[in-house]
Amino acid sequence: MGSLIDGPSPIEGANSYSDAMNPEHTVTIKDSANSVVCRQDQTILDAYLRAGAWMPHSCTQGTCGTCTIIIDSGEVHQEYNDQHALLPEEMADGRVLACQAQPRSDVTFIPGGPRQPEKTFTSYPLKDLSAEVVEVTDIAHDTRRLVVRTSEPMHFNAGQYVRLHVPGSGATRDYSLANPPSQTELLEFHIRRMPHGVASDGWIFGELKPSDTLDLTGPLGDFHYRGPSVNPILLIAGGTGLAPLKSIVVHALESGGTSRMHLYHGVRLQRDLYDDAFFGELAANQPSLFSYTPCISDQPGSQNDGLVTDVVARDYATCKGFQAYVCGPPAMINAAVTMLRRKRMAPRFVYREEFTPPPTTSAR
Ligand SMILES: Cc1cc2nc3c(=O)[nH]c(=O)nc-3n(C[C@H](O)[C@H](O)[C@H](O)COP(=O)(O)OP(=O)(O)OC[C@H]3O[C@@H](n4cnc5c(N)ncnc54)[C@H](O)[C@@H]3O)c2cc1C
Ligand code: FES
């Protein structure tokens, strides 16, 4: 079994180091010819995704555990490990998170999860792109739409996210793509202001303006549309968790599927609601395929008054056989999963994207 080097990274912020300071290593899946070259300041996941090779992953920030691999030989340094993603005994067994593990020698590993993506997922190589800001607009209270034009097409699955690089800070933050995959050069994001947030408050709600340029990396994540279903599909969003669900809804309707989709958008107050005219019109134009229910939790007497999960529970006596796509803050996702389980939906048909905060709040 290989070893795991712990403790502070000897090469933090090493992107500008010379090649001699930042050697490359060969990383190989055990008993296969599947190898990539990985720099010492690069994670194993990043190297595989850039090479166009798929690897299971979701959060890419060391919190979900989806990217677990077992080191068979060689040494890695693990940048960050949320205590819930890997237990100490798993780490002692040689398990590491590919999204955090950087090689310190040539490495051979055993995949900890599936070797192939689901049939409904297309693996697009991870790319760094620059983009020009086309629009930054206030669309609701403390919520902005950001639209950027990329220097080259970004191919992705409806539901995936990209990483925005916050200029001058070294920090990166993840944001879900709200545009459908058919729109490859005009990317749309919905951003909620986080008080004192490095990316939101300090940049996107600060000096960012049309014609500025920015850098992004993507596509990332495994949240994606699984295709049409004979039974209804529920889409449940909390706040800006609407972004990937907008991409999925528009993509599904463009693809001509015949599933019945019902989108619920939960917000606290009327002033937090956005894109309701857009979804209202979609529902009016395609009533047999798409329904839309905005839900307002903290304004008694308003339309569909209550928590989004309570409104869904009121509408459906059972969700047996349904599929659900759920996106937003972790607490809302947990509530949705519990409610859907009570309504007899199989947990494996509840697809989730959690907007978890990054492990460090300043730079990552
Ligand atoms: C896969 C993924 C997709 C995402 N997509 C979107 C999206 O489409 N739209 C969007 O608005 N956000 C999205 N997020 C969240 C986003 O990546 C940032 O975490 C968020 O914008 C805050 O970044 P910041 O730099 O402004 O704040 P930070 O500087 O990171 O944090 C500022 C303060 O806010 C707190 N904080 C940060 N995030 C949260 C949180 N989620 N809940 C509670 N407290 C928090 C921090 O602890 C800190 O005190 C996504 C996250 C993930 C993991
Ligand atoms: S812990 Fe690596 S992708 Fe989530």
Side-chain angles (χ1 to χ4, degrees), residues 45 56-67 85 97-100:
L45 178 68
H57 70 282
S58 178
C59 72
T60 62
Q61 55 185 25
T63 52
C64 73
T66 309
C67 64
L97 302 173
C99 72
Q100 302 298 313

mmCIF file of all heavy atoms in Angstrom, residues 45 56-67 85 97-100, ligand 2:
data_model
loop_
_atom_site.group_PDB
_atom_site.id
_atom_site.type_symbol
_atom_site.label_atom_id
_atom_site.label_comp_id
_atom_site.label_asym_id
_atom_site.label_seq_id
_atom_site.Cartn_x
_atom_site.Cartn_y
_atom_site.Cartn_z
ATOM 1 N N LEU A 45 -7.483 14.011 -9.643
ATOM 2 C CA LEU A 45 -8.762 14.192 -10.360
ATOM 3 C C LEU A 45 -8.595 15.190 -11.497
ATOM 4 O O LEU A 45 -9.033 14.947 -12.630
ATOM 5 C CB LEU A 45 -9.851 14.683 -9.393
ATOM 6 C CG LEU A 45 -11.203 14.957 -10.060
ATOM 7 C CD1 LEU A 45 -11.850 13.661 -10.535
ATOM 8 C CD2 LEU A 45 -12.150 15.701 -9.128
ATOM 9 N N PRO A 56 -15.192 9.404 -11.064
ATOM 10 C CA PRO A 56 -16.334 9.853 -10.265
ATOM 11 C C PRO A 56 -15.949 11.073 -9.432
ATOM 12 O O PRO A 56 -14.876 11.085 -8.818
ATOM 13 C CB PRO A 56 -16.635 8.665 -9.338
ATOM 14 C CG PRO A 56 -15.806 7.533 -9.800
ATOM 15 C CD PRO A 56 -14.739 8.059 -10.691
ATOM 16 N N HIS A 57 -16.782 12.085 -9.408
ATOM 17 C CA HIS A 57 -16.539 13.256 -8.565
ATOM 18 C C HIS A 57 -17.825 14.056 -8.471
ATOM 19 O O HIS A 57 -18.710 13.917 -9.313
ATOM 20 C CB HIS A 57 -15.417 14.131 -9.130
ATOM 21 C CG HIS A 57 -15.793 14.854 -10.384
ATOM 22 N ND1 HIS A 57 -15.825 14.238 -11.616
ATOM 23 C CD2 HIS A 57 -16.182 16.133 -10.599
ATOM 24 C CE1 HIS A 57 -16.200 15.114 -12.532
ATOM 25 N NE2 HIS A 57 -16.433 16.277 -11.945
ATOM 26 N N SER A 58 -17.907 14.888 -7.452
ATOM 27 C CA SER A 58 -19.080 15.747 -7.327
ATOM 28 C C SER A 58 -18.645 17.128 -6.849
ATOM 29 O O SER A 58 -18.545 18.069 -7.620
ATOM 30 C CB SER A 58 -20.094 15.103 -6.379
ATOM 31 O OG SER A 58 -21.203 15.932 -6.226
ATOM 32 N N CYS A 59 -18.309 17.270 -5.535
ATOM 33 C CA CYS A 59 -18.060 18.615 -4.982
ATOM 34 C C CYS A 59 -16.704 19.186 -5.384
ATOM 35 O O CYS A 59 -16.538 20.400 -5.434
ATOM 36 C CB CYS A 59 -18.169 18.577 -3.462
ATOM 37 S SG CYS A 59 -16.788 17.723 -2.655
ATOM 38 N N THR A 60 -15.723 18.352 -5.639
ATOM 39 C CA THR A 60 -14.321 18.729 -5.927
ATOM 40 C C THR A 60 -13.708 19.605 -4.838
ATOM 41 O O THR A 60 -12.727 20.294 -5.073
ATOM 42 C CB THR A 60 -14.149 19.416 -7.310
ATOM 43 O OG1 THR A 60 -14.900 20.628 -7.342
ATOM 44 C CG2 THR A 60 -14.565 18.516 -8.442
ATOM 45 N N GLN A 61 -14.293 19.598 -3.634
ATOM 46 C CA GLN A 61 -13.698 20.387 -2.554
ATOM 47 C C GLN A 61 -13.484 19.571 -1.278
ATOM 48 O O GLN A 61 -13.373 20.118 -0.196
ATOM 49 C CB GLN A 61 -14.496 21.661 -2.299
ATOM 50 C CG GLN A 61 -15.966 21.447 -2.027
ATOM 51 C CD GLN A 61 -16.715 22.780 -1.905
ATOM 52 O OE1 GLN A 61 -16.295 23.797 -2.439
ATOM 53 N NE2 GLN A 61 -17.807 22.781 -1.182
ATOM 54 N N GLY A 62 -13.444 18.240 -1.429
ATOM 55 C CA GLY A 62 -13.065 17.403 -0.295
ATOM 56 C C GLY A 62 -14.158 17.179 0.725
ATOM 57 O O GLY A 62 -13.867 16.833 1.871
ATOM 58 N N THR A 63 -15.420 17.354 0.340
ATOM 59 C CA THR A 63 -16.475 17.191 1.345
ATOM 60 C C THR A 63 -17.436 16.028 1.083
ATOM 61 O O THR A 63 -18.101 15.579 2.004
ATOM 62 C CB THR A 63 -17.317 18.486 1.490
ATOM 63 O OG1 THR A 63 -17.767 18.884 0.206
ATOM 64 C CG2 THR A 63 -16.510 19.605 2.103
ATOM 65 N N CYS A 64 -17.523 15.525 -0.161
ATOM 66 C CA CYS A 64 -18.575 14.532 -0.443
ATOM 67 C C CYS A 64 -18.069 13.086 -0.456
ATOM 68 O O CYS A 64 -18.845 12.163 -0.241
ATOM 69 C CB CYS A 64 -19.271 14.851 -1.764
ATOM 70 S SG CYS A 64 -18.280 14.498 -3.227
ATOM 71 N N GLY A 65 -16.802 12.867 -0.735
ATOM 72 C CA GLY A 65 -16.247 11.511 -0.732
ATOM 73 C C GLY A 65 -16.470 10.732 -2.024
ATOM 74 O O GLY A 65 -16.028 9.591 -2.146
ATOM 75 N N THR A 66 -17.138 11.328 -3.017
ATOM 76 C CA THR A 66 -17.449 10.615 -4.271
ATOM 77 C C THR A 66 -16.190 10.168 -5.012
ATOM 78 O O THR A 66 -16.207 9.173 -5.729
ATOM 79 C CB THR A 66 -18.264 11.544 -5.203
ATOM 80 O OG1 THR A 66 -19.347 12.069 -4.474
ATOM 81 C CG2 THR A 66 -18.782 10.821 -6.429
ATOM 82 N N CYS A 67 -15.095 10.919 -4.846
ATOM 83 C CA CYS A 67 -13.893 10.679 -5.660
ATOM 84 C C CYS A 67 -12.872 9.791 -4.954
ATOM 85 O O CYS A 67 -11.698 9.785 -5.340
ATOM 86 C CB CYS A 67 -13.253 12.020 -6.007
ATOM 87 S SG CYS A 67 -12.683 12.871 -4.525
ATOM 88 N N ALA A 85 -15.921 13.112 4.944
ATOM 89 C CA ALA A 85 -15.706 12.522 3.619
ATOM 90 C C ALA A 85 -14.924 11.217 3.729
ATOM 91 O O ALA A 85 -15.201 10.257 3.014
ATOM 92 C CB ALA A 85 -14.981 13.504 2.706
ATOM 93 N N LEU A 97 -8.846 11.221 -1.277
ATOM 94 C CA LEU A 97 -9.796 11.883 -2.169
ATOM 95 C C LEU A 97 -9.025 12.357 -3.404
ATOM 96 O O LEU A 97 -8.086 13.156 -3.277
ATOM 97 C CB LEU A 97 -10.445 13.071 -1.456
ATOM 98 C CG LEU A 97 -11.182 12.726 -0.161
ATOM 99 C CD1 LEU A 97 -11.636 13.992 0.561
ATOM 100 C CD2 LEU A 97 -12.383 11.826 -0.454
ATOM 101 N N ALA A 98 -9.420 11.872 -4.574
ATOM 102 C CA ALA A 98 -8.684 12.229 -5.797
ATOM 103 C C ALA A 98 -8.748 13.728 -6.067
ATOM 104 O O ALA A 98 -7.856 14.283 -6.710
ATOM 105 C CB ALA A 98 -9.246 11.448 -6.986
ATOM 106 N N CYS A 99 -9.790 14.408 -5.555
ATOM 107 C CA CYS A 99 -9.897 15.852 -5.799
ATOM 108 C C CYS A 99 -8.967 16.648 -4.898
ATOM 109 O O CYS A 99 -8.859 17.867 -5.037
ATOM 110 C CB CYS A 99 -11.339 16.335 -5.641
ATOM 111 S SG CYS A 99 -11.935 16.379 -3.948
ATOM 112 N N GLN A 100 -8.322 15.973 -3.936
ATOM 113 C CA GLN A 100 -7.417 16.657 -3.007
ATOM 114 C C GLN A 100 -6.003 16.082 -3.044
ATOM 115 O O GLN A 100 -5.086 16.674 -2.493
ATOM 116 C CB GLN A 100 -7.953 16.546 -1.567
ATOM 117 C CG GLN A 100 -9.344 17.109 -1.382
ATOM 118 C CD GLN A 100 -9.409 18.593 -1.675
ATOM 119 O OE1 GLN A 100 -8.563 19.358 -1.210
ATOM 120 N NE2 GLN A 100 -10.367 19.004 -2.479
HETATM 121 S S1 FES B 2 -14.662 14.869 -2.015
HETATM 122 FE FE1 FES B 2 -13.733 14.804 -3.977
HETATM 123 S S2 FES B 2 -15.373 15.230 -5.341
HETATM 124 FE FE2 FES B 2 -16.262 15.511 -3.355
#
